[in-house]
Amino acid sequence: MTFEQALLRMQMDGWCVLDGVIPSDEVAAVRDSVVASVKKHRNPDAPQAIGHVSGFIKIDQSLAPYLADRSVMDLVEALVGHHARISFTTATINEQGNARGGWHADWPFNQRNAGHVAAPYPDAVMHLTTIWMLAPFSEENGGTLVVSGSHRCSDTPTCKNGVAPLEPYDTELQACGEAGSVLMMDSRLWHATAPNVSSNPRVAVVVRYAPWWLNLEILRPGSVDRKRLVDME
């Protein structure tokens, strides 16, 4: 896929898959490191059969050399401008038997998050979500569910907009790709966790990119903005 094709996909569909960002002979080492770190640090409050570690870059830098890959940053800069910064890094492993998740958009559009952008949303790209595929994403192992074009909606199912969050949507798709690929989404895009019905874990790290002007202080524990907008709600 050329840059122009990927950009058009992002504008029209709200998502695309960039193939081969991590070289095929290097992805196994990154995957093994992530699996080991999740085993050691996994969040005990995460949904059943989901290996989850937030703030992942603090404990494991195996993915760090690839995060500014030019194929990724060309799209990031085209969509949110220069001087973008990383806002979240989260390891996520779908293990066998995990449940289907609910339709949602990511922060700052998820209405369940404090400090969110209130609906109706402006029709502007304000945040990008990337899911780094460290194992192949397939229909069997829980490739992320997406609704193409939903990033242009002014709300999400977390707004109680009449769409049942846990029910299949007529036009849903699963984003699939080979290990080493990157799923990029406009953070407004409706997406959901898919069940893993295979015998192998689906290993990934979620990395989000923000424009320089987006206030990330509410994400920082102890900050004035977080105390005012999150902790006091």
Side-chain angles (χ1 to χ4, degrees):
M1 185 185 301
T2 67
F3 165 76
E4 290 77 15
Q5 290 170 330
L7 181 60
L8 183 61
R9 287 284 305 273
M10 290 297 300
Q11 293 168 336
M12 298 295 293
D13 298 337
W15 68 282
C16 70
V17 174
L18 303 175
D19 296 324
V21 177
I22 303 175
S24 58
D25 60 346
E26 298 176 17
V27 68
V30 180
R31 180 175 61 246
D32 291 347
S33 180
V34 170
V35 168
S37 294
V38 170
K39 182 177 181 180
K40 183 176 181 180
H41 299 282
R42 69 184 291 154
N43 177 5
D45 298 322
Q48 186 175 1
I50 296 287
H52 178 273
V53 180
S54 59
F56 189 68
I57 200 73
K58 294 184 296 185
I59 62 171
D60 189 316
Q61 291 82 49
S62 59
L63 191 62
Y66 311 98
L67 297 182
D69 181 88
R70 199 63 254 170
S71 64
V72 173
M73 294 309 299
D74 282 347
L75 270 183
V76 169
E77 291 170 0
L79 291 164
V80 301
H82 293 282
H83 312 298
R85 48 190 175 157
I86 289 174
S87 52
F88 292 80
T89 57
T90 308
T92 303
I93 299 179
N94 287 10
E95 299 164 346
Q96 185 179 31
N98 71 296
R100 178 182 175 121
W103 292 115
H104 65 284
D106 284 340
W107 183 89
F109 304 103
N110 190 326
Q111 300 298 289
R112 294 192 299 266
N113 297 149
H116 61 258
V117 174
Y121 309 138
D123 187 10
V125 183
M126 298 172 61
H127 206 215
L128 294 170
T129 299
T130 61
I131 303 180
W132 294 68
M133 303 177 180
L134 302 179
F137 273 37
S138 67
E139 293 182 0
E140 290 74 27
N141 74 358
T144 303
L145 292 160
V146 297
V147 178
S148 291
S150 58
H151 65 302
R152 304 301 296 274
C153 293
S154 61
D155 59 17
T156 77
T158 60
C159 302
K160 299 181 179 179
N161 63 357
V163 174
L166 293 173
E167 296 297 323
Y169 194 77
D170 288 346
T171 60
E172 71 180 40
L173 300 168
Q174 277 186 273
C176 299
E178 296 300 319
S181 300
V182 176
L183 167 61
M184 181 177 288
M185 302 184 293
D186 187 311
S187 294
R188 295 172 292 172
L189 188 78
W190 301 4
H191 60 284
T193 300
N196 182 354
V197 297
S198 77
S199 58
N200 297 309
R202 194 222 68 182
V203 184
V205 176
V206 181
V207 180
R208 299 183 178 95
Y209 294 83
W212 65 265
W213 46 262
L214 185 63
N215 182 10
L216 304 181
E217 280 297 287
I218 68 168
L219 306 176
R220 186 167 64 84
S223 73
V224 172
D225 283 355
R226 184 174 180 85
K227 289 178 181 177
R228 180 169 59 89
L229 297 175
V230 179
D231 298 339
M232 294 177 64
E233 289 201 3

